[in-house]
mmCIF file of all heavy atoms in Angstrom:
data_model
loop_
_atom_site.group_PDB
_atom_site.id
_atom_site.type_symbol
_atom_site.label_atom_id
_atom_site.label_comp_id
_atom_site.label_asym_id
_atom_site.label_seq_id
_atom_site.Cartn_x
_atom_site.Cartn_y
_atom_site.Cartn_z
ATOM 1 N N ASP A 166 -13.870 25.010 8.882
ATOM 2 C CA ASP A 166 -13.375 26.333 8.485
ATOM 3 C C ASP A 166 -12.021 26.636 9.119
ATOM 4 O O ASP A 166 -11.789 26.339 10.302
ATOM 5 C CB ASP A 166 -14.374 27.413 8.901
ATOM 6 C CG ASP A 166 -15.700 27.262 8.171
ATOM 7 O OD1 ASP A 166 -15.689 26.863 6.989
ATOM 8 O OD2 ASP A 166 -16.754 27.534 8.785
ATOM 9 N N PHE A 167 -11.154 27.234 8.323
ATOM 10 C CA PHE A 167 -9.835 27.654 8.782
ATOM 11 C C PHE A 167 -9.670 29.144 8.518
ATOM 12 O O PHE A 167 -10.073 29.629 7.455
ATOM 13 C CB PHE A 167 -8.725 26.917 8.015
ATOM 14 C CG PHE A 167 -8.605 25.466 8.356
ATOM 15 C CD1 PHE A 167 -9.336 24.505 7.673
ATOM 16 C CD2 PHE A 167 -7.734 25.044 9.346
ATOM 17 C CE1 PHE A 167 -9.223 23.165 7.978
ATOM 18 C CE2 PHE A 167 -7.603 23.697 9.662
ATOM 19 C CZ PHE A 167 -8.359 22.762 8.980
ATOM 20 N N SER A 168 -9.062 29.841 9.442
ATOM 21 C CA SER A 168 -8.721 31.247 9.196
ATOM 22 C C SER A 168 -7.442 31.280 8.344
ATOM 23 O O SER A 168 -6.707 30.299 8.269
ATOM 24 C CB SER A 168 -8.482 31.981 10.519
ATOM 25 O OG SER A 168 -7.289 31.509 11.131
ATOM 26 N N LYS A 169 -7.195 32.416 7.717
ATOM 27 C CA LYS A 169 -5.957 32.579 6.945
ATOM 28 C C LYS A 169 -4.746 32.386 7.835
ATOM 29 O O LYS A 169 -3.745 31.798 7.430
ATOM 30 C CB LYS A 169 -5.912 33.962 6.285
ATOM 31 C CG LYS A 169 -6.847 34.120 5.135
ATOM 32 C CD LYS A 169 -6.719 35.487 4.496
ATOM 33 C CE LYS A 169 -7.696 35.634 3.358
ATOM 34 N NZ LYS A 169 -7.600 36.935 2.712
ATOM 35 N N GLU A 170 -4.837 32.879 9.062
ATOM 36 C CA GLU A 170 -3.728 32.755 10.013
ATOM 37 C C GLU A 170 -3.462 31.294 10.355
ATOM 38 O O GLU A 170 -2.301 30.863 10.429
ATOM 39 C CB GLU A 170 -4.009 33.560 11.293
ATOM 40 C CG GLU A 170 -4.070 35.064 11.084
ATOM 41 C CD GLU A 170 -5.386 35.556 10.486
ATOM 42 O OE1 GLU A 170 -6.402 34.824 10.516
ATOM 43 O OE2 GLU A 170 -5.401 36.686 9.927
ATOM 44 N N GLU A 171 -4.533 30.535 10.567
ATOM 45 C CA GLU A 171 -4.363 29.102 10.864
ATOM 46 C C GLU A 171 -3.705 28.381 9.687
ATOM 47 O O GLU A 171 -2.777 27.586 9.876
ATOM 48 C CB GLU A 171 -5.716 28.448 11.166
ATOM 49 C CG GLU A 171 -6.275 28.764 12.518
ATOM 50 C CD GLU A 171 -7.672 28.211 12.712
ATOM 51 O OE1 GLU A 171 -8.472 28.203 11.755
ATOM 52 O OE2 GLU A 171 -7.958 27.814 13.859
ATOM 53 N N LEU A 172 -4.172 28.670 8.468
ATOM 54 C CA LEU A 172 -3.599 28.005 7.296
ATOM 55 C C LEU A 172 -2.135 28.364 7.109
ATOM 56 O O LEU A 172 -1.316 27.507 6.753
ATOM 57 C CB LEU A 172 -4.416 28.344 6.050
ATOM 58 C CG LEU A 172 -5.800 27.701 5.987
ATOM 59 C CD1 LEU A 172 -6.579 28.232 4.787
ATOM 60 C CD2 LEU A 172 -5.703 26.183 5.951
ATOM 61 N N THR A 173 -1.796 29.616 7.365
ATOM 62 C CA THR A 173 -0.392 30.036 7.261
ATOM 63 C C THR A 173 0.466 29.304 8.285
ATOM 64 O O THR A 173 1.550 28.809 7.970
ATOM 65 C CB THR A 173 -0.271 31.558 7.435
ATOM 66 O OG1 THR A 173 -1.010 32.206 6.395
ATOM 67 C CG2 THR A 173 1.173 32.009 7.396
ATOM 68 N N GLU A 174 -0.025 29.211 9.501
ATOM 69 C CA GLU A 174 0.710 28.510 10.547
ATOM 70 C C GLU A 174 0.818 27.018 10.214
ATOM 71 O O GLU A 174 1.894 26.409 10.358
ATOM 72 C CB GLU A 174 0.050 28.706 11.911
ATOM 73 C CG GLU A 174 0.864 28.124 13.052
ATOM 74 C CD GLU A 174 0.251 28.376 14.418
ATOM 75 O OE1 GLU A 174 -0.892 28.864 14.514
ATOM 76 O OE2 GLU A 174 0.924 28.060 15.407
ATOM 77 N N ILE A 175 -0.256 26.424 9.781
ATOM 78 C CA ILE A 175 -0.233 25.014 9.396
ATOM 79 C C ILE A 175 0.782 24.784 8.276
ATOM 80 O O ILE A 175 1.554 23.823 8.311
ATOM 81 C CB ILE A 175 -1.640 24.536 8.986
ATOM 82 C CG1 ILE A 175 -2.530 24.422 10.225
ATOM 83 C CG2 ILE A 175 -1.589 23.200 8.244
ATOM 84 C CD1 ILE A 175 -4.013 24.231 9.923
ATOM 85 N N ASP A 176 0.782 25.669 7.279
ATOM 86 C CA ASP A 176 1.706 25.528 6.156
ATOM 87 C C ASP A 176 3.174 25.515 6.584
ATOM 88 O O ASP A 176 4.009 24.920 5.897
ATOM 89 C CB ASP A 176 1.490 26.637 5.122
ATOM 90 C CG ASP A 176 0.297 26.378 4.227
ATOM 91 O OD1 ASP A 176 -0.230 25.233 4.214
ATOM 92 O OD2 ASP A 176 -0.127 27.329 3.532
ATOM 93 N N SER A 177 3.482 26.154 7.698
ATOM 94 C CA SER A 177 4.889 26.164 8.137
ATOM 95 C C SER A 177 5.306 24.801 8.711
ATOM 96 O O SER A 177 6.492 24.518 8.802
ATOM 97 C CB SER A 177 5.128 27.279 9.154
ATOM 98 O OG SER A 177 4.418 27.039 10.349
ATOM 99 N N TYR A 178 4.352 23.963 9.059
ATOM 100 C CA TYR A 178 4.652 22.633 9.606
ATOM 101 C C TYR A 178 4.211 21.495 8.687
ATOM 102 O O TYR A 178 4.760 20.399 8.757
ATOM 103 C CB TYR A 178 3.974 22.456 10.967
ATOM 104 C CG TYR A 178 4.393 23.490 11.964
ATOM 105 C CD1 TYR A 178 3.517 24.494 12.366
ATOM 106 C CD2 TYR A 178 5.684 23.501 12.493
ATOM 107 C CE1 TYR A 178 3.900 25.467 13.285
ATOM 108 C CE2 TYR A 178 6.086 24.463 13.395
ATOM 109 C CZ TYR A 178 5.184 25.439 13.785
ATOM 110 O OH TYR A 178 5.582 26.409 14.679
ATOM 111 N N ALA A 179 3.205 21.746 7.874
ATOM 112 C CA ALA A 179 2.648 20.718 6.996
ATOM 113 C C ALA A 179 3.403 20.721 5.668
ATOM 114 O O ALA A 179 2.916 21.209 4.660
ATOM 115 C CB ALA A 179 1.160 20.961 6.779
ATOM 116 N N VAL A 180 4.588 20.156 5.722
ATOM 117 C CA VAL A 180 5.436 20.070 4.528
ATOM 118 C C VAL A 180 5.766 18.602 4.291
ATOM 119 O O VAL A 180 5.550 17.748 5.148
ATOM 120 C CB VAL A 180 6.720 20.906 4.688
ATOM 121 C CG1 VAL A 180 6.385 22.383 4.827
ATOM 122 C CG2 VAL A 180 7.547 20.438 5.873
ATOM 123 N N ASP A 181 6.289 18.331 3.122
ATOM 124 C CA ASP A 181 6.571 16.949 2.734
ATOM 125 C C ASP A 181 7.336 16.208 3.832
ATOM 126 O O ASP A 181 8.324 16.707 4.354
ATOM 127 C CB ASP A 181 7.371 16.906 1.435
ATOM 128 C CG ASP A 181 7.551 15.486 0.955
ATOM 129 O OD1 ASP A 181 6.577 14.879 0.480
ATOM 130 O OD2 ASP A 181 8.676 14.969 1.091
ATOM 131 N N GLY A 182 6.829 15.037 4.155
ATOM 132 C CA GLY A 182 7.449 14.232 5.204
ATOM 133 C C GLY A 182 8.053 12.946 4.681
ATOM 134 O O GLY A 182 8.409 12.066 5.461
ATOM 135 N N GLY A 183 8.148 12.808 3.355
ATOM 136 C CA GLY A 183 8.710 11.592 2.787
ATOM 137 C C GLY A 183 7.820 10.375 2.953
ATOM 138 O O GLY A 183 8.284 9.254 2.930
ATOM 139 N N VAL A 184 6.512 10.610 3.146
ATOM 140 C CA VAL A 184 5.564 9.524 3.405
ATOM 141 C C VAL A 184 4.668 9.350 2.178
ATOM 142 O O VAL A 184 3.455 9.396 2.261
ATOM 143 C CB VAL A 184 4.713 9.815 4.658
ATOM 144 C CG1 VAL A 184 3.881 8.603 5.048
ATOM 145 C CG2 VAL A 184 5.580 10.257 5.815
ATOM 146 N N ASP A 185 5.282 9.157 1.026
ATOM 147 C CA ASP A 185 4.537 8.986 -0.223
ATOM 148 C C ASP A 185 4.893 7.615 -0.789
ATOM 149 O O ASP A 185 5.803 7.480 -1.601
ATOM 150 C CB ASP A 185 4.888 10.105 -1.204
ATOM 151 C CG ASP A 185 4.031 10.060 -2.458
ATOM 152 O OD1 ASP A 185 3.211 9.123 -2.594
ATOM 153 O OD2 ASP A 185 4.193 10.948 -3.300
ATOM 154 N N LEU A 186 4.179 6.616 -0.359
ATOM 155 C CA LEU A 186 4.457 5.244 -0.766
ATOM 156 C C LEU A 186 4.090 4.975 -2.222
ATOM 157 O O LEU A 186 4.490 3.967 -2.784
ATOM 158 C CB LEU A 186 3.711 4.261 0.140
ATOM 159 C CG LEU A 186 3.986 4.372 1.636
ATOM 160 C CD1 LEU A 186 3.118 3.392 2.407
ATOM 161 C CD2 LEU A 186 5.452 4.143 1.928
ATOM 162 N N TRP A 187 3.331 5.878 -2.837
ATOM 163 C CA TRP A 187 2.844 5.650 -4.188
ATOM 164 C C TRP A 187 3.521 6.551 -5.215
ATOM 165 O O TRP A 187 3.080 6.631 -6.348
ATOM 166 C CB TRP A 187 1.321 5.849 -4.216
ATOM 167 C CG TRP A 187 0.669 4.823 -3.361
ATOM 168 C CD1 TRP A 187 0.218 3.596 -3.747
ATOM 169 C CD2 TRP A 187 0.448 4.900 -1.958
ATOM 170 N NE1 TRP A 187 -0.259 2.912 -2.661
ATOM 171 C CE2 TRP A 187 -0.135 3.684 -1.561
ATOM 172 C CE3 TRP A 187 0.701 5.854 -0.991
ATOM 173 C CZ2 TRP A 187 -0.479 3.416 -0.247
ATOM 174 C CZ3 TRP A 187 0.358 5.597 0.327
ATOM 175 C CH2 TRP A 187 -0.237 4.391 0.680
ATOM 176 N N GLN A 188 4.602 7.182 -4.855
ATOM 177 C CA GLN A 188 5.267 8.133 -5.741
ATOM 178 C C GLN A 188 5.638 7.487 -7.079
ATOM 179 O O GLN A 188 5.456 8.091 -8.116
ATOM 180 C CB GLN A 188 6.515 8.692 -5.061
ATOM 181 C CG GLN A 188 7.217 9.730 -5.872
ATOM 182 C CD GLN A 188 8.350 10.386 -5.089
ATOM 183 O OE1 GLN A 188 8.629 10.015 -3.956
ATOM 184 N NE2 GLN A 188 8.980 11.352 -5.669
#
Side-chain angles (χ1 to χ4, degrees):
D166 296 325
F167 289 89
S168 69
K169 287 182 182 181
E170 294 78 18
E171 285 174 324
L172 289 173
T173 299
E174 186 177 8
I175 288 168
D176 281 346
S177 67
Y178 301 109
V180 296
D181 186 72
V184 189
D185 186 357
L186 303 177
W187 296 269
Q188 183 173 3

